[in-house]
Amino acid sequence: MRNRSCVMRLLRYKNALLKLKALNFVRVFSDNLADAAGVTSAQVRKDFSIFGITGNRRGGYQVGDLIENLSHILGKDKDYEFIVVGVGNIGKALMRYDGFEKSGIKISAGFDIDPTKYDPGAAVAVYDLSKLNEYVVKNKIRFGIIAVPEFAAQQAFEVMINSGIKGVLNFTPARLKGPEDCIINNINLETELESIIYFVNVADKTGGK
Amino acid sequence: MRNRSCVMRLLRYKNALLKLKALNFVRVFSDNLADAAGVTSAQVRKDFSIFGITGNRRGGYQVGDLIENLSHILGKDKDYEFIVVGVGNIGKALMRYDGFEKSGIKISAGFDIDPTKYDPGAAVAVYDLSKLNEYVVKNKIRFGIIAVPEFAAQQAFEVMINSGIKGVLNFTPARLKGPEDCIINNINLETELESIIYFVNVADKTGGK
């Protein structure tokens, strides 16, 4: 299962199921998961059938079983640590964000080239970028977030890759170039906002109110 | 052109062209734009041909003409204002982020229900959520960003929509429900990070180093 859209849907199902479980739900229907994930119920059933997950037409799926199945498929059986490179506004916000913990994700350190940002004693420590390699090797970190200015993105990425990082979330508009086996997810805030503007303008013109 | 992927590509081409223009480039080839946007050069030519933009096989495209063409297609001929609802870590970072300006996007105000966040005198003012309707109507704002906790997302969204907001960037994992003509882009940080973990784990298992 290498298809990114499919993985994103399975992650959304799993996160919706974890919430339902917290509400003591025992059974769930494909319609419920479709609503929670913003897809059709046919899509939910198709995704599940690919992995041999079958429900009962009358009784739906068992929440506990589904969570177990999806966790197994998604291979996320333990907590994972990320580092953040670039401790500016976005980097700092990510380091302080408390929504990751429930997904078993921990931001364990930040790195920057600006000495005024260093803060080794903070809840999430901030170190000099030159310490990244040592930290990543010692703590066997494989995941990172790039939140540096665009012009510094490729260089930051190379430092990370050369230290053993295998997957990054890139918050800059830069198109990173690296080894094929490295996973790069891009979040481009500017184009997200620009595409919203575009589609609202189109809706205006085509008679949407 | 309602296809989101196509719009996102055109936006990436345009942003790459603006950078090339700043570097005094006069001509550009589909290969250059393909590299900058992370697609194939055939894709670039296909996207352009849909809109009747033709290049010269030997001379490529004129940077200035292309920017004009794309700006016209993308309908972004002026600056646009966004408001931010939820002035926590992420909301604050977005309000301070200086990367939007060059794309003609301005974050003009923030709103929160927490009185300790109010700051009407700040560079980007923060007001009580109850003032949102008045502000949006008065300033004819049509775009917003939702950065509240997940449980408050749908309510914040409804306040925005009822005030005349037409497009939102949703930073929460909540699946927002609203009128069909409203544009919603979702950025789900948890699933972005979780999908990176998934794909790195898959690469590990299939023999990637």
Side-chain angles (χ1 to χ4, degrees):
Chain A
M1 177 185 46
R2 289 265 184 175
N3 180 304
R4 183 175 142 85
S5 321
C6 178
V7 172
M8 295 303 264
R9 285 196 303 275
L10 294 186
L11 287 167
R12 291 210 293 261
Y13 303 151
K14 197 196 74 185
N15 289 340
L17 286 162
L18 289 172
K19 281 173 210 156
L20 292 173
K21 193 187 167 193
L23 295 170
N24 294 319
F25 271 56
V26 176
R27 286 178 190 188
V28 66
F29 297 87
S30 53
D31 288 341
N32 304 131
L33 287 172
D35 289 343
V39 298
T40 65
S41 54
Q43 179 74 65
V44 174
R45 288 191 297 272
K46 193 178 155 200
D47 287 335
F48 285 177
S49 74
I50 292 173
F51 298 101
I53 302 176
T54 50
N56 171 320
R57 188 164 283 276
R58 289 179 65 199
Y61 302 89
Q62 298 288 319
V63 171
D65 292 352
L66 264 188
I67 292 174
E68 206 172 299
N69 265 314
L70 288 173
S71 300
H72 181 72
I73 293 163
L74 292 165
K76 189 140 155 307
D77 44 1
K78 56 169 181 139
D79 287 2
Y80 288 93
E81 290 183 38
F82 279 69
I83 55 162
V84 170
V85 180
V87 185
N89 293 320
I90 299 283
K92 218 178 295 171
L94 294 171
M95 288 168 61
R96 289 176 184 165
Y97 185 62
D98 57 7
F100 295 138
E101 212 172 322
K102 63 174 165 26
S103 306
I105 288 166
K106 198 187 153 197
I107 309 282
S108 59
F111 296 87
D112 206 291
I113 54 163
D114 177 357
T116 66
K117 303 267 175 69
Y118 304 164
D119 193 357
V124 180
V126 179
Y127 304 107
D128 185 342
L129 187 60
S130 68
K131 301 266 200 296
L132 186 144
N133 181 63
E134 187 191 331
Y135 184 92
V136 165
V137 171
K138 189 178 158 197
N139 295 285
K140 298 195 179 76
I141 308 283
R142 297 192 304 152
F143 309 102
I145 300 173
I146 299 181
V148 299
E150 180 176 2
F151 71 87
Q154 181 65 29
Q155 204 189 339
F157 177 61
E158 285 169 16
V159 170
M160 295 162 84
I161 294 297
N162 292 335
S163 303
I165 298 273
K166 294 290 180 195
V168 301
L169 180 59
N170 171 29
F171 257 99
T172 81
R175 306 301 297 182
L176 303 173
K177 284 177 184 58
E180 263 196 26
D181 68 341
C182 178
I183 306 301
I184 304 170
N185 277 14
N186 297 295
I187 291 185
N188 189 329
L189 294 173
E190 286 94 326
T191 51
E192 288 292 339
L193 297 184
E194 289 188 285
S195 82
I196 291 171
I197 294 170
Y198 171 80
F199 283 110
V200 167
N201 282 342
V202 166
D204 277 356
K205 277 178 211 153
T206 53
K209 274 189 299 188
Chain B
M1 178 187 45
R2 290 264 184 176
N3 181 304
R4 182 174 142 85
S5 320
C6 179
V7 173
M8 296 303 262
R9 285 196 305 273
L10 295 186
L11 289 166
R12 292 208 295 260
Y13 303 150
K14 198 196 73 185
N15 290 339
L17 286 162
L18 289 172
K19 280 172 211 157
L20 292 174
K21 193 187 168 193
L23 294 170
N24 295 318
F25 271 56
V26 175
R27 286 177 191 190
V28 67
F29 296 86
S30 53
D31 288 340
N32 303 132
L33 288 172
D35 288 344
V39 299
T40 64
S41 55
Q43 179 75 64
V44 174
R45 289 190 297 271
K46 193 178 155 199
D47 287 335
F48 285 177
S49 74
I50 292 173
F51 298 102
I53 301 175
T54 49
N56 172 320
R57 190 164 283 276
R58 290 178 65 199
Y61 303 88
Q62 297 289 320
V63 171
D65 292 352
L66 264 188
I67 292 173
E68 205 173 298
N69 265 315
L70 289 172
S71 299
H72 181 72
I73 293 163
L74 292 166
K76 190 141 152 305
D77 44 1
K78 56 171 182 140
D79 287 1
Y80 288 92
E81 290 182 38
F82 278 71
I83 55 163
V84 171
V85 180
V87 185
N89 294 320
I90 299 283
K92 219 179 296 171
L94 295 171
M95 287 168 61
R96 288 175 184 166
Y97 184 61
D98 57 8
F100 295 139
E101 212 172 323
K102 64 173 164 32
S103 305
I105 288 166
K106 198 187 153 197
I107 309 283
S108 58
F111 295 88
D112 207 292
I113 53 163
D114 177 356
T116 66
K117 304 266 177 68
Y118 305 164
D119 192 357
V124 181
V126 180
Y127 303 107
D128 184 342
L129 188 61
S130 69
K131 301 267 200 294
L132 186 145
N133 181 63
E134 188 190 331
Y135 184 93
V136 165
V137 171
K138 189 178 158 198
N139 296 286
K140 299 195 178 74
I141 308 282
R142 297 193 304 153
F143 309 102
I145 299 174
I146 300 181
V148 299
E150 180 177 1
F151 71 86
Q154 180 66 30
Q155 204 188 340
F157 177 61
E158 286 169 14
V159 170
M160 294 163 85
I161 293 297
N162 292 336
S163 303
I165 298 273
K166 294 292 179 193
V168 301
L169 180 60
N170 172 28
F171 257 98
T172 81
R175 306 301 296 184
L176 303 174
K177 284 177 185 57
E180 263 195 28
D181 67 343
C182 178
I183 307 301
I184 304 169
N185 277 15
N186 297 293
I187 291 184
N188 189 329
L189 295 172
E190 285 94 325
T191 52
E192 288 292 339
L193 298 184
E194 288 187 287
S195 82
I196 292 170
I197 295 170
Y198 171 79
F199 283 109
V200 168
N201 282 342
V202 166
D204 277 357
K205 276 179 212 153
T206 54
K209 274 189 300 185

